[in-house]
Amino acid sequence: MTSQSISRRGFLGLSSLAAAGAVGISMGGAIPALASGISPAANMADGTMTPKREFRAIWLASVLNINWPRSGSDSMEKQKSDYIEWLDLAREINLNAVVSQVRPTADAFWPSPYEPWSQYLTGTQGKAPEYDPLAFQVEEAHKRNLEYHAWFNPYRVSMQADPSKLHPDHPARKNPDWIFPFAGKLYYNPGIPEVREFVQTAMLDAVIKYDLDGVHFDDYFYPYPSGTLTLPDQETYAQYGGDFDNIEDWRRNNVDLMVSEFGRKIKEVKPWVKFGISPFGIWQNKTADQPLGSETNGTQSYSALFADTRKWVKEGYLDYINPQIYWFIGQAAANYAKLVPWWADVVRDTDVQLYIGQGAYKATDGVFTDPDEMLKHIDIDRATPEVAGSVFYNGDSVRLALGEGQWARRLVDTYYTRPALLPLIPHLGGTVPRPPVLTGSKQSAKGVTLEWHVPGNGGATSFAIWRFNGKVTPTAADFTDARNLIATERSTGRVNTYVDASAASGEYTYVVTALDRLGNESAPSRARASN
């Protein structure tokens, strides 16, 4: 296992190893609102490789300076430039979100009143950078119309086990009874109610102060097992576990409480912010839970991390679940082709969306020996109606495989040829914006320049730009997938412009739709031919 996979994903070993609604459109005529289903597969017409809605993101890890910043000694200018490169890459390959780590080790990438500045920003914990990295990241992501999901690690305190090496004002130094060492690292004790409250307060500070689109946890709750080590929480159980017959159920309840409480607190302050978790890919093996478990023989989050991930979905604690299914198709202990349908069954008939966590580092590092492995994963996902997208770990693993003929380049050239709108999460609500008024479509040597506005801004956060060859009358079918979708753009105010530099000489028909921040789509604008 690479150092990157260790730092992001802990113990990865295995124990034995909408459709669009019926709409009409006419040149110069108004069109009814578009209705889009929750499933990308439902938006695929006749096997098209261009689903209209699909979550596409990369994880950008800050712990140990894996993806960003590259070094704690980098200047502010370099940090900003490097992050913009990540965002520009995401746009270039038609992603629509980034999942960026902002609290890697009980520290902060923003001026937090609760926790010190992260050492990964300046090389020294508690030392302030010359800017607010979280504010910068959110602003730059939104400029490029990328959703920004802030990635927090709730309980990990340090990648080393000596509390004296923490900043003197670190809460773990001031409250030594809150933490325990385990396998060379420090962790907050999830069984202490004050810890659970503090951790939530520290993270909620960012939700309140910044324009986040999502809050994201990974798979670290109780630490991953390590050899014969036992968790040092027997005294905590004796103090707080009186209602439970065994320590395992008590630990699971501690994590359940943290997840459910924090999910509610997010919605209390900002109901539109999405809450998602990317747990280890196995809940329980079928041998441990018949018939609910999966046909696997690996580490189980339920018993190893005390993370009852299936319950979180069934109880609706989350808006999306993003299981890390980092195994190849046919792998004996954990078969990708069996785990995806298992998770699809878990989310079926719930309000929780399913995005698949892809082990991109295994494709780039050669652990996956089939050069088409990652492409086959997308085939399975898109054939599974409940799967609404993918998140790739990590940024470097994608970037390094974008060369000619490499897996990421082939994935982009085959599956991500067009932008995609974000999937709808219906229970989050939102408001369908007023349709844009497309006022200009002027052709020049630079391409076709479009101009539009939304009366009163109409609740629009972003826009989708659709292009058709020739002077045509688009039909409802033309909006069921993304084959005619050429761009999505962030709203810049009442009047917006876009230059279609890819338009060759000839005649085109353009349509613009407006979207609110949750992806609800307006009726299309009147169609307008280039001139």
Side-chain angles (χ1 to χ4, degrees):
M1 186 186 307
T2 68
S3 60
Q4 291 184 357
S5 61
I6 292 171
S7 60
R8 164 66 173 97
R9 292 305 190 229
F11 180 73
L12 294 181
L14 297 169
S15 58
S16 63
L17 311 128
V23 300
I25 184 168
S26 61
M27 296 296 291
I31 309 108
L34 300 176
S36 299
I38 193 170
S39 164
N43 287 322
M44 295 171 64
D46 302 324
T48 177
M49 306 301 281
T50 53
K52 178 176 179 176
R53 292 185 183 267
E54 187 173 56
F55 192 79
R56 303 173 185 170
I58 49 173
W59 277 292
L60 295 176
S62 62
V63 67
L64 302 180
N65 298 111
I66 291 175
N67 296 133
W68 186 92
R70 293 296 185 185
S71 168
S73 63
D74 287 346
S75 67
M76 176 184 69
E77 290 76 14
K78 185 176 190 318
Q79 288 187 7
K80 287 185 173 183
S81 175
D82 286 348
Y83 199 81
I84 286 173
E85 285 185 8
W86 281 121
L87 300 180
D88 288 345
L89 175 66
R91 282 280 293 187
E92 179 187 337
I93 62 177
N94 284 327
L95 306 184
N96 50 28
V98 291
V99 182
S100 197
Q101 193 174 31
V102 297
R103 187 181 180 268
T105 51
D107 50 14
F109 274 54
W110 71 97
S112 167
Y114 304 103
E115 295 178 312
W117 283 103
S118 176
Q119 70 187 74
Y120 302 115
L121 285 167
T122 61
T124 302
Q125 191 172 71
K127 181 180 178 181
E130 299 176 34
Y131 69 116
D132 182 337
L134 182 51
F136 170 78
Q137 290 183 1
V138 172
E139 180 181 3
E140 293 297 328
H142 286 170
K143 283 181 183 178
R144 292 157 180 81
N145 201 34
L146 296 166
E147 261 203 344
Y148 185 91
H149 290 232
W151 165 15
F152 302 95
N153 292 88
Y155 290 124
R156 186 171 63 198
V157 173
S158 178
M159 298 297 285
Q160 55 81 43
D162 184 357
S164 69
K165 294 182 179 180
L166 299 174
H167 188 273
D169 293 331
H170 197 293
R173 288 281 296 273
K174 293 182 175 182
N175 301 277
D177 56 324
W178 283 8
I179 61 174
F180 58 72
F182 188 84
K185 299 181 179 67
L186 288 174
Y187 296 90
Y188 280 127
N189 188 336
I192 300 174
E194 291 84 0
V195 166
R196 189 172 72 244
E197 182 65 25
F198 170 78
V199 165
Q200 292 179 39
T201 298
M203 296 185 295
L204 196 66
D205 182 63
V207 180
I208 293 169
K209 293 177 178 176
Y210 298 89
D211 189 20
L212 308 180
D213 300 296
V215 168
H216 186 97
F217 293 169
D218 61 13
D219 51 323
Y220 289 112
F221 296 99
Y222 278 88
Y224 275 87
S226 179
T228 59
L229 292 177
T230 58
L231 290 170
D233 61 349
Q234 297 292 330
E235 292 184 5
T236 314
Y237 173 55
Q239 183 176 358
Y240 297 108
D243 294 336
F244 294 87
D245 294 333
N246 61 74
I247 196 169
E248 291 82 9
D249 286 343
W250 170 74
R251 288 169 178 163
R252 274 184 286 273
N253 184 66
N254 293 331
V255 180
D256 287 348
L257 287 172
M258 193 273 292
V259 171
S260 61
E261 290 170 357
F262 192 57
R264 286 197 300 270
K265 289 178 181 178
I266 292 170
K267 294 302 185 283
E268 286 170 2
V269 297
K270 291 185 178 178
W272 58 88
V273 172
K274 302 170 185 177
F275 181 35
I277 296 181
S278 59
F280 188 76
I282 299 172
W283 170 67
Q284 286 202 91
N285 301 314
K286 192 174 284 292
T287 54
D289 190 318
Q290 175 74 29
L292 296 179
S294 54
E295 293 184 45
T296 48
N297 184 27
T299 301
Q300 304 167 104
S301 68
Y302 182 88
S303 55
L305 305 176
F306 307 101
D308 192 351
T309 54
R310 183 180 183 276
K311 177 181 179 180
W312 303 343
V313 174
K314 295 300 186 181
E315 295 294 326
Y317 295 167
L318 312 165
D319 299 309
Y320 69 85
I321 193 84
N322 182 197
Q324 300 167 29
I325 307 182
Y326 289 0
W327 301 291
F328 60 81
I329 297 167
Q331 189 158 341
N335 185 346
Y336 185 93
K338 292 185 176 181
L339 275 166
V340 168
W342 185 88
W343 279 103
D345 181 69
V346 170
V347 304
R348 191 172 298 126
D349 299 323
T350 75
D351 290 332
V352 179
Q353 281 200 332
L354 174 61
Y355 312 144
I356 304 301
Q358 304 285 355
Y361 68 97
K362 289 187 174 181
T364 300
D365 294 350
V367 176
F368 290 158
T369 57
D370 183 348
D372 293 330
E373 182 70 33
M374 295 299 293
L375 282 70
K376 292 176 180 177
H377 287 194
I378 305 303
D379 283 334
I380 290 173
D381 298 348
R382 288 188 175 176
T384 307
E386 292 78 12
V387 176
S390 289
V391 186
F392 297 87
Y393 184 76
N394 60 48
D396 278 330
S397 300
V398 174
R399 181 182 59 81
L400 293 172
L402 284 169
E404 185 67 30
Q406 293 181 286
W407 74 264
R409 173 51 53 197
R410 289 186 293 119
L411 183 143
V412 171
D413 289 348
T414 304
Y415 297 92
Y416 291 176
T417 59
R418 289 288 186 270
L421 306 185
L422 290 157
L424 287 172
I425 302 181
H427 71 264
L428 294 182
T431 303
V432 174
R434 297 176 67 177
V437 176
L438 184 54
T439 56
S441 55
K442 186 175 182 179
Q443 197 159 31
S444 69
K446 295 181 179 180
V448 176
T449 299
L450 305 177
E451 183 175 293
W452 68 90
H453 70 272
V454 178
N457 199 31
T461 299
S462 64
F463 301 95
I465 296 98
W466 305 80
R467 184 184 72 193
F468 307 90
N469 291 329
K471 187 173 183 179
V472 298
T473 302
T475 67
D478 292 319
F479 294 93
T480 59
D481 59 57
R483 71 184 70 188
N484 299 304
L485 179 64
I486 60 169
T488 67
E489 293 291 311
R490 200 74 171 182
S491 174
T492 56
R494 188 172 183 274
V495 178
N496 294 263
T497 60
Y498 172 75
V499 178
D500 179 13
S502 66
S505 58
E507 192 167 39
Y508 302 94
T509 299
Y510 290 90
V511 172
V512 178
T513 57
L515 300 104
D516 74 352
R517 69 177 302 146
L518 290 168
N520 294 289
E521 189 177 22
S522 75
S525 69
R526 299 172 187 270
R528 191 178 183 99
S530 59
N531 51 56

